[in-house]
Amino acid sequence: MDYGGGEFLVPCGKDKYISKNELLLHLKTYNIYYEGQNLQLRHREEEGELIVEGLLNISWGLRRPIRLQMQDDNQRIRPPPSSSSWHSGCNLGAHGSVLKPSTLPDIQVADAEATPITEAPGSSAASRPQPEEQPQLMRTRSDVGVRRRGSTRTPSEQRRIRRHRFSINGHFYNHKTSVFTPAYGSMTNVRINSTMTTPQVLKLLLNKFKIENSAEEFALYIVHTSGEKQKLRASDYPLIARILQGPCEQVSKVFLMEKDQVEEVTYDVAQYIKFEMPVLRSFIQKLEEEEDREVKKLMRKYSILRLMIEQRLEEISEGPTAM
């Protein structure tokens, strides 16, 4: 896409563009920082458009509880919370897909009498083990698992598991944890590309964790360690914004927050947030002194103008009488 300057530009928001070469330089730095990790980003060109895709880390910054859906639309049965096949309290894969519990195949057991027992020459009947004391070993195909006795669930247990689902930080739906607030600063990620806008990323994140709240209640913010908070607009592309901010999350992070609970903090304001109170009071005193000087300066200026106006009015009033 050429915008008159003869240079390929990539949109990064409403009426905001960045050159392709500059974006690729930022992307190279980003991937070097995450070398050997799954947070590296890939890029390609489709019909002359540069597309970057990969995982975007998003931190939870919610102050109010969120609501989880009671169950999935397809009514899948989830394993109990003690299952070791579920990682970090989430039943979602890297691409947002729901993991299915593995099904166990039927076991074919060979007949115990089908295997003859051979005796060593000279062995006596007394030393030969009795058939009723011989353990019955099940023969299975290759290395398939054995279904243990007692693993079958009653219908009531299956209904209970069907109502429960895993989500954020180990929370699953029931009357106690269907509404909760994720731990502040805890992190998750979603796989997106550079053509997805902020509302699209929000909907993808909420759908991944089956959150009932509307995406319009939330917003994405870039929060710096200095205290600066920059809200991503609906026309912004979060992945490109993350690339331009740099890869280090000790400098800045992308947060999911309530739209009506957080105000943007500019850099000019953020640079004063971390100062101690005595230092801030000295700043206020300096500002007040400067304000007093400006007020006195304006008062002198308008006092002189007032005198000049009054003198002119006197001259005008005295003019006709002198004639």
Side-chain angles (χ1 to χ4, degrees), residues 4-71:
E7 187 176 13
F8 186 86
L9 298 178
V10 179
C12 54
K14 184 178 181 180
D15 299 328
K16 295 187 295 184
Y17 301 93
I18 184 174
S19 67
K20 174 184 174 182
N21 292 335
E22 184 178 357
L23 180 61
L24 289 177
L25 287 176
H26 283 283
L27 181 60
K28 182 179 180 181
T29 303
Y30 192 96
N31 285 336
I32 290 175
Y33 184 87
Y34 286 115
E35 185 175 2
Q37 302 181 38
N38 61 352
L39 290 175
Q40 282 190 318
L41 304 176
R42 297 178 296 176
H43 71 279
R44 67 181 189 278
E45 290 192 20
E46 289 185 0
E47 300 179 355
E49 182 180 8
L50 179 66
I51 298 178
V52 183
E53 59 184 2
L55 292 174
L56 173 66
N57 280 343
I58 299 178
S59 299
W60 298 99
L62 304 180
R63 300 298 186 183
R64 293 189 302 226
I66 58 174
R67 301 183 305 275
L68 303 181
Q69 296 178 10
M70 186 174 69
Q71 55 193 7

Side-chain angles (χ1 to χ4, degrees), residues 98-109:
V98 180
L99 302 177
K100 299 179 180 179
S102 58
T103 58
L104 297 175
D106 295 333
I107 306 302
Q108 294 186 356
V109 182

